[in-house]
Amino acid sequence: MNQQDLPAPNRRANGARTLGEPIVVIDRVQKSFHGNHVLKDVSLTVHKGEVVVICGRSGSGKSTLLRCIDQLETIDGGTIHAAGHLMGFREKNGKLVPLRDAQIARQQRDLGMVFQSFNLFPHVSVIDNITMAPVRILKRDKTEARNEARALLQRVGLPDKENAYPRQLSGGQQQRVAIARALAMKPKVMLFDEPTSALDPEMISEVLDVMIDLSEQGMTMIVVTHEMGFARAAADRVVLMHDGRIVEEAPPEEFFQNPRSEHTRLFLSKILSH
Amino acid sequence: MNWSWPFFFDYLTNGLMLRGAWTTIWLSVISMILGLGLGIVAAMMKMYGNTVIRYIAEFYIWLFRGTPILIQLVIIYTGLPQLGIRLNVIESAILGLALNEGAYLAEIIRAGIMSVDKGQEDASRAVGMTWRERMYLVILPQATRTIIPPLGNQFNGMLKTTSLASVISMEELMRNAQMLAQIEFRVLEAYSVAAIWYLILVSIWSVIQVRIEAHYEKPFGPAAAVSPEAKKELEKAIDKAGQA
Ligand SMILES: Nc1ncnc2c1ncn2[C@@H]1O[C@H](COP(=O)(O)OP(=O)(O)O)[C@@H](O)[C@H]1O
Ligand SMILES: [Mg+2]
């Protein structure tokens, strides 16, 4: 892809965005796997309504960062505040005490996550994928939840798929259902981990369109992706991770035209040269 | 040759044999259900428990898979009274069969749970499910798909294993055949009839098993490749053909 072919940045250029207060505050987070230091002192603040794109080469710790935010991994040091929660811990006499499973689950309900491999529930239909958590966990009224699920399916462009099983859908359709499933919990923040990396090229845009639409409606989003077109179109900030650290953090124009870090230049030259 | 068809046909529908067959059925079903409960608990303990709990589960599985069920039944019925634990025949038979079955099912269930894709746990945690909700709503229903076929085979085995309860005088098919054989000394006829009844029960179960497997395979299998709309069309077409 050539840099000139990318769509022009629109959101920021239009001046339409006013950012709210911080909603995700990552403060000096450390994470190791068996002595492998994966996140090294990572700090990042995301404001309400903001779209932050995270990129960086494979193994740089992007997925781990998202998984730590959503408590799919436990952090070794630092703190993460998200959607009004101190994720994974509570403060007691100035000390951090780990939360129990059920309390972590409650925090996770305010964050939505979309995975590279979709991870839909294969044993239930599309609509049950979407209503399972609201109905079975939040004990919402079933008819109401189903109506909302239909509205969400409409929104992701799949109004006629409610009775299908996941395996009957294409990758792009599955990923849009996964987005609808996450939205059904009415999350305050959405996390996307390479949502289009497992898709055939012709399906990438149908998923990105849904995400752009979501960002335009004010959803706070942290998106790990190598789709630089999406970054230009929807991001307020682009972040580059390298070897467990954030090495660049800039608005898209600056990130692409005027990167300060050598790592960013190298990354961009690689990703834009094919 | 000394084979009597009249005795054979008489035994086939003899009240003693019918009662025995019925006992074999309910004894198998109850023992299987209890064994399934024990197996699930043991599998969970082994997979998610702390060290002590894990060792308890492993000891249970090791003990009951490592000894003959015949000895287990005899110890429960005739040995435990020495320790002041008195169980009647039915209780002993059910307990022995369930404990034995649970040890085998624990391993099957564990394998089934491990066969569920790791992404399913991520996804269910990401929508905010607790451990119980994840297990109950996402992991176990999917593990079921892997567990059902071996579970069906285990039940097939259970129908026949219940015959061992005859040694503690549980009046199921085998025991009743023994009693019948002693009345007229028509040994071959009596046991042949018992064998035929086992064949009937196992065959009926095979038919049920196929249907159950198809049901749990539906979201995953080739049947699912047919869209619901297409299926409705197909059903309509079949209905119409029937009316014509
Ligand atoms: N569950 C895990 N156990 C052990 N190591 C892991 C685990 N998850 C990630 N890692 C390691 O952490 C590093 C960063 O991985 P990841 O966050 O997936 O990177 P990225 O998403 O940027 O490709 C890699 O070296 C990877 O091998
Ligand atoms: Mg990754």
Side-chain angles (χ1 to χ4, degrees):
Chain A
M1 210 193 297
N2 195 299
Q3 209 165 342
Q4 275 73 44
D5 299 340
L6 297 169
N10 58 6
R11 282 155 44 105
R12 296 180 51 82
N14 296 345
R17 318 237 349 121
T18 43
L19 297 178
E21 71 271 22
I23 190 165
V24 177
V25 180
I26 301 165
D27 188 27
R28 286 167 292 166
V29 163
Q30 309 282 347
K31 175 70 187 173
S32 301
F33 291 106
H34 320 289
N36 176 14
H37 203 172
V38 174
L39 296 182
K40 299 167 183 164
D41 218 29
V42 173
S43 297
L44 179 70
T45 299
V46 179
H47 297 81
K48 209 168 170 179
E50 197 177 9
V51 177
V52 173
V53 162
I54 300 177
C55 49
R57 70 170 190 224
S58 174
S60 56
K62 308 178 299 293
S63 297
T64 305
L65 180 60
L66 282 197
R67 294 172 62 84
C68 285
I69 296 172
D70 203 17
Q71 287 299 297
L72 299 179
E73 307 286 356
T74 331
I75 56 178
D76 303 329
T79 56
I80 297 174
H81 284 85
H85 306 290
L86 171 56
M87 297 304 290
F89 297 92
R90 73 193 154 85
E91 259 185 293
K92 196 181 168 193
N93 307 329
K95 277 191 182 157
L96 295 184
V97 184
L99 292 179
R100 276 177 296 127
D101 176 67
Q103 298 163 317
I104 291 175
R106 203 148 303 130
Q107 297 183 330
Q108 286 168 324
R109 289 169 203 168
D110 288 333
L111 306 180
M113 182 130 174
V114 174
F115 302 89
Q116 180 175 350
S117 49
F118 328 134
N119 297 347
L120 290 180
F121 305 132
H123 59 302
V124 295
S125 65
V126 162
I127 193 147
D128 289 341
N129 262 274
I130 300 171
T131 59
M132 184 188 283
V135 172
R136 306 299 291 271
I137 299 172
L138 300 182
K139 311 292 178 202
R140 300 257 318 279
D141 177 69
K142 192 167 176 186
T143 321
E144 211 175 282
R146 286 179 81 87
N147 287 337
E148 275 176 33
R150 289 195 188 97
L152 283 170
L153 281 173
Q154 189 87 41
R155 190 164 158 195
V156 300
L158 296 167
D160 53 344
K161 293 292 182 194
E162 63 174 79
N163 291 319
Y165 283 106
R167 56 155 285 158
Q168 297 169 289
L169 305 181
S170 71
Q173 292 172 330
Q174 288 192 50
Q175 193 60 298
R176 287 184 279 155
V177 173
I179 294 172
R181 174 178 68 179
L183 290 176
M185 293 298 279
K186 303 191 167 58
K188 300 194 175 93
V189 178
M190 285 284 285
L191 310 171
F192 295 82
D193 190 1
E194 303 207 32
T196 57
S197 297
L199 299 179
D200 293 335
E202 70 271 19
M203 290 172 187
I204 290 176
S205 66
E206 68 189 46
V207 172
L208 291 182
D209 286 347
V210 169
M211 291 167 60
I212 289 171
D213 182 53
L214 202 57
S215 74
E216 278 164 1
Q217 292 178 29
M219 177 60 78
T220 309
M221 295 162 59
I222 304 178
V223 184
V224 172
T225 185
H226 289 161
E227 291 297 325
M228 292 302 125
F230 174 80
R232 299 193 135 238
D236 297 288
R237 257 188 305 158
V238 186
V239 165
L240 186 91
M241 284 191 75
H242 180 82
D243 195 20
R245 294 177 209 277
I246 291 180
V247 295
E248 178 108 30
E249 192 181 331
E253 318 74 283
E254 225 175 289
F255 185 92
F256 291 111
Q257 264 124 49
N258 236 338
R260 274 171 299 155
S261 164
E262 192 52 45
H263 296 300
T264 314
R265 251 165 273 164
L266 209 67
F267 176 79
L268 287 175
S269 73
K270 267 186 194 147
I271 202 156
L272 297 175
S273 64
H274 57 248
Chain B
M1 198 179 93
N2 183 18
W3 166 268
S4 161
W5 286 109
F7 270 112
F8 173 78
F9 284 115
D10 178 53
Y11 286 175
L12 210 48
T13 54
N14 185 294
L16 208 54
M17 295 309 282
L18 295 182
R19 276 201 302 282
W22 173 238
T23 302
T24 292
I25 292 172
W26 66 250
L27 180 61
S28 300
V29 170
I30 292 174
S31 303
M32 194 71 191
I33 290 170
L34 292 177
L36 192 57
L38 280 168
I40 291 174
V41 171
M44 296 282 171
M45 284 168 69
K46 191 169 166 177
M47 293 182 78
Y48 304 105
N50 62 30
T51 315
V52 176
I53 286 176
R54 244 183 11 245
Y55 275 122
I56 294 173
E58 277 181 25
F59 176 77
Y60 159 66
I61 294 167
W62 172 77
L63 184 68
F64 280 88
R65 279 168 54 122
T67 53
I69 172 117
L70 205 48
I71 293 183
Q72 295 163 16
L73 286 167
V74 170
I75 287 180
I76 290 169
Y77 183 59
T78 58
L80 289 186
Q82 248 173 281
L83 304 178
I85 304 168
R86 268 164 231 288
L87 299 173
N88 66 31
V89 173
I90 294 177
E91 289 162 353
S92 302
I94 290 174
L95 184 66
L97 290 166
L99 281 170
N100 184 266
E101 192 61 35
Y104 283 91
L105 292 183
E107 292 296 286
I108 291 174
I109 289 160
R110 198 172 73 94
I113 290 173
M114 293 203 307
S115 75
V116 178
D117 183 62
K118 179 73 182 60
Q120 292 296 303
E121 167 144 10
D122 286 344
S124 48
R125 287 171 67 193
V127 291
M129 292 188 193
T130 61
W131 184 83
R132 285 171 73 107
E133 288 160 344
R134 297 201 296 274
M135 274 296 143
Y136 187 67
L137 297 172
V138 176
I139 308 296
L140 286 179
Q142 287 179 64
T144 306
R145 181 197 178 201
T146 327
I147 292 169
I148 286 281
L151 195 66
N153 296 340
Q154 285 295 117
F155 187 70
N156 174 311
M158 173 66 88
L159 283 167
K160 293 168 288 186
T161 305
T162 52
S163 64
L164 292 174
S166 62
V167 296
I168 59 167
S169 68
M170 177 78 194
E171 295 183 358
E172 39 64 70
L173 257 177
M174 178 66 191
R175 171 81 177 165
N176 288 6
Q178 280 169 356
M179 293 198 286
L180 209 54
Q182 274 156 24
I183 297 172
E184 313 270 358
F185 295 103
R186 286 286 166 188
V187 178
L188 186 58
E189 289 84 346
Y191 287 126
S192 298
V193 164
I196 285 173
W197 267 107
Y198 280 112
L199 281 171
I200 292 171
L201 296 185
V202 165
S203 303
I204 293 173
W205 172 246
S206 310
V207 174
I208 298 172
Q209 192 182 351
V210 168
R211 288 175 178 239
I212 294 176
E213 279 175 25
H215 173 78
Y216 281 99
E217 198 57 32
K218 203 177 100 188
F220 307 94
V226 183
S227 75
E229 294 90 340
K231 223 158 150 189
K232 250 181 228 156
E233 287 299 319
L234 200 67
E235 276 161 12
K236 256 191 238 156
I238 293 169
D239 276 353
K240 264 188 199 148
Q243 284 157 9

